[in-house]
Amino acid sequence: MFVGKTTSAEVRQFIAFKASVFWGLYFLAWLSYPKENQYSIMTHTVSFLGSYEDYHNPRWWWILSVAMIFLGIMTMPLMFYVRRQFARISRCGADVACAFMLLGCLGLLCIGLFPDGQAQLFGGFKTTHGHIAACILLEIGCGAGILLHGILLLYDKRRKGCTGFRH
């Protein structure tokens, strides 16, 4: 979809589709969380919605995993579109920012593949270890990518000259 001439209307439709599916699945994971386990965004991490442990969401944990895998995969082509837009400012900067954002997308994907739980995978490695590593990958990737995109925008604004806010 994001090769060649993609119109802004097509991008908006793609983002609306992606957001609808992700937030729909997220909402289902929240609705399916057992009432007796008392999930609250104020006291629990989002990862609890996708945890198969008995004291979290043992029956429907996989819904959040599907949502995270979907979001990770579907955000990747969007990052290539964003890269092409930012390449107008700096090709190198856009490439580096895109690489970091793709690293974040990989983190999202891995969060879905490694739910927060204590299942033993191999050796002393548990799913929670993979989950924590994936969260760090997401934070580093998207954090650095967003920061670099912001720097590129500031650079472009300065290069073109800032006349302040217009009233």
Side-chain angles (χ1 to χ4, degrees):
M1 173 181 181
F2 293 107
V3 293
K5 303 279 185 194
T6 305
T7 68
S8 59
E10 290 171 329
V11 173
R12 283 192 302 273
Q13 290 170 350
F14 178 78
I15 291 170
F17 166 74
K18 184 179 78 139
S20 297
V21 171
F22 172 76
W23 288 109
L25 288 169
Y26 182 93
F27 187 65
L28 281 175
W30 176 70
L31 284 177
S32 68
Y33 200 86
K35 299 289 184 228
E36 63 272 12
N37 292 348
Q38 301 174 351
Y39 178 82
S40 169
I41 194 68
M42 302 304 286
T43 57
H44 298 81
T45 66
V46 171
S47 297
F48 286 15
L49 293 176
S51 175
Y52 50 79
E53 300 290 346
D54 288 339
Y55 50 89
H56 290 306
N57 199 5
R59 186 169 178 199
W60 300 104
W61 63 271
W62 57 270
I63 296 172
L64 187 71
S65 287
V66 170
M68 299 307 279
I69 291 168
F70 173 82
L71 186 62
I73 291 170
M74 297 301 279
T75 302
M76 288 179 187
L78 185 60
M79 290 302 99
F80 289 111
Y81 174 80
V82 170
R83 182 187 142 275
R84 279 198 308 279
Q85 304 310 308
F86 274 87
R88 297 175 188 164
I89 300 170
S90 166
R91 183 127 180 102
C92 179
D95 288 346
V96 173
C98 182
F100 274 114
M101 293 302 290
L102 290 173
L103 197 63
C105 289
L106 180 62
L108 283 169
L109 181 93
C110 289
I111 286 170
L113 294 176
F114 295 101
D116 191 18
Q118 297 301 315
Q120 198 77 25
L121 294 177
F122 53 87
F125 191 79
K126 298 178 181 179
T127 56
T128 195
H129 297 130
H131 186 79
I132 291 168
C135 290
I136 292 169
L137 196 62
L138 168 66
E139 291 169 5
I140 290 171
C142 289
I146 290 168
L147 180 64
L148 286 173
H149 282 124
I151 290 169
L152 288 171
L153 289 173
L154 289 172
Y155 169 77
D156 188 50
K157 186 70 172 173
R158 185 162 191 252
R159 184 180 58 159
K160 290 181 178 176
C162 182
T163 59
F165 294 100
R166 293 192 172 99
H167 298 281

